[in-house]
Amino acid sequence: MSDAEAPADEWTLPDDPRAVREALIEWYEADHRDFPWRRTDDPYEILVSEVMSQQTQLGRVVAAWEAFLEHWPTTADLADADRADIVGFWTDHSLGYNNRAKYLHEAAQQVDDEYGGDFPETPEELQELMGVGPYTANAVASFAFNDGDAVVDTNVKRVLYRAFDVPDDDATFEDAANDLMPEGRSRVWNNAIMELGGVACEQTPRCDEAGCPWREWCHAYQTGDFTAPDVPTQPSFEGSRRQFRGRVIGTLREYDELELDALGHRIRVDYVPGGEYGRDWLTELLTDLESDGLVALERDADGEHVARLRR
């Protein structure tokens, strides 16, 4: 359904919303994927899981999350760590843009310096932490403190669109999700509705196989129309800017510093100083990393540009 076909505010809850809520929570509590961050209410551990999950499949996040917390088990440990080590960990585990590691480090330092080691608890306060946007702040408030609004990600939008014919409009999705969520139960509810979208109401639905608890109310199940809002596809990592950012970080970890051409030849086989992927391309990449506070780009005694990790 397009916005032109239905005004953004045209949708209704089922006649018995309490039954809808109870059905979903009972389904989730009976059986769900056992991710380790679902077994904790530690805000630091949950923040790490949320940041890691932004660009990585959940199955791959588990090992990285456990290893990260083994290295830096508390906010204080992370705040005291060498940033280059944190960024190196991020790169080694292919966790997406490595400036997220930098932001996580800075957020830990804020918690230590500005909040005396105690995490802020509300979505508004959590957004004051470096790199923490509205979605992540609300997720931490929900899962750590059971005091958040409804979490609305791609899975939740798909569920609401199909089950209750909620129009494809971000503000309406937010309103619908919050109307559905039972008061004071944001932790279990947000986990449950995201689980529904992750294992039953996927792009290719598995209603019966997954025992979807909303089949009796679901508009899509009744009509057979399982269309849903477009889901953005993740750009290919191979050959991407993210990949070469990671290669720069990984290479500079091995050396105190490298001249541009020496670095270029180490990160891509087709590096030619004056070519399409040459000094100009590499300088632009390094300038971005410098802006993110990850790399220092300087001149040596001979006036040649050199790059090193910022520590």
Side-chain angles (χ1 to χ4, degrees):
M1 179 183 296
S2 69
D3 292 344
E5 292 171 327
D9 58 353
E10 278 194 14
W11 75 281
T12 56
L13 279 171
D15 292 337
D16 189 356
R18 180 176 178 179
V20 172
R21 296 175 182 125
E22 290 177 351
L24 178 60
I25 293 172
E26 288 175 5
W27 172 84
Y28 173 76
E29 291 181 335
D31 185 30
H32 61 262
R33 293 172 294 179
D34 187 28
F35 296 122
W37 48 85
R38 286 179 170 173
R39 302 194 299 267
T40 181
D41 59 5
D42 184 307
Y44 167 63
E45 295 179 357
I46 291 169
L47 177 61
V48 172
S49 75
E50 288 295 327
V51 174
M52 285 187 174
S53 300
Q54 288 175 13
Q55 284 195 324
T56 309
Q57 292 179 344
L58 293 182
R60 288 179 48 226
V61 170
V62 173
W65 183 82
E66 291 174 340
F68 190 94
L69 293 176
E70 186 174 337
H71 278 286
W72 304 288
T74 68
T75 311
D77 293 319
L78 187 63
D80 290 340
D82 188 319
R83 180 172 297 171
D85 291 337
I86 303 168
V87 172
F89 178 98
W90 214 259
T91 298
D92 290 344
H93 288 77
S94 301
L95 290 168
Y97 291 110
N98 40 34
N99 58 358
R100 289 198 172 97
K102 171 199 153 193
Y103 294 150
L104 196 55
H105 186 214
E106 293 181 3
Q109 292 174 331
Q110 281 181 269
V111 171
D112 256 23
D113 296 342
E114 299 174 21
Y115 295 91
D118 295 326
F119 253 79
E121 298 186 9
T122 67
E124 293 74 22
E125 288 180 305
L126 284 159
Q127 285 187 67
E128 296 299 318
L129 299 181
M130 191 67 185
V132 176
Y135 177 88
T136 301
N138 188 49
V140 175
S142 290
F143 302 135
F145 304 110
N146 197 30
D147 189 25
D149 296 323
V151 170
V152 182
D153 66 359
T154 299
N155 283 337
V156 173
K157 290 179 181 180
R158 188 186 312 118
V159 168
L160 296 176
Y161 184 94
R162 286 176 174 165
F164 306 122
D165 207 19
V166 177
D168 183 7
D169 173 81
D170 286 347
T172 309
F173 280 132
E174 294 278 352
D175 290 343
N178 280 299
D179 284 349
L180 274 170
M181 186 178 73
E183 186 176 355
R185 304 199 69 184
S186 64
R187 179 184 292 129
V188 67
W189 178 262
N190 284 325
N191 271 320
I193 196 167
M194 288 194 295
E195 183 78 353
L196 187 66
V199 304
C201 199
E202 300 170 276
Q203 285 179 288
T204 301
R206 300 177 58 251
C207 315
D208 296 326
E209 301 96 311
C212 175
W214 281 357
R215 284 171 288 180
E216 67 178 278
W217 300 285
C218 178
H219 177 266
Y221 193 76
Q222 293 167 0
T223 63
D225 179 5
F226 287 96
T227 56
D230 291 340
V231 179
T233 56
Q234 178 68 26
S236 172
F237 180 70
E238 188 63 32
S240 68
R241 194 174 184 83
R242 288 188 298 126
Q243 182 183 43
F244 287 109
R245 282 171 60 102
R247 285 185 182 177
V248 167
I249 296 297
T251 301
L252 290 179
R253 289 176 67 201
E254 301 180 34
Y255 302 90
D256 289 335
E257 61 183 30
L258 282 173
E259 292 184 0
L260 262 61
D261 290 346
L263 174 61
H265 286 300
R266 283 171 171 80
I267 66 169
R268 62 183 310 156
V269 296
D270 57 348
Y271 179 86
V272 177
E276 180 181 2
Y277 298 111
R279 287 177 189 156
D280 290 345
W281 171 85
L282 181 56
T283 299
E284 183 183 348
L285 190 68
L286 290 169
T287 300
D288 285 350
L289 287 166
E290 186 175 41
S291 297
D292 289 337
L294 301 173
V295 165
L297 189 59
E298 302 169 346
R299 291 187 184 273
D300 64 12
D302 298 323
E304 296 292 332
H305 273 112
V306 296
R308 61 175 176 79
L309 278 188
R310 188 182 295 279
R311 296 183 181 274

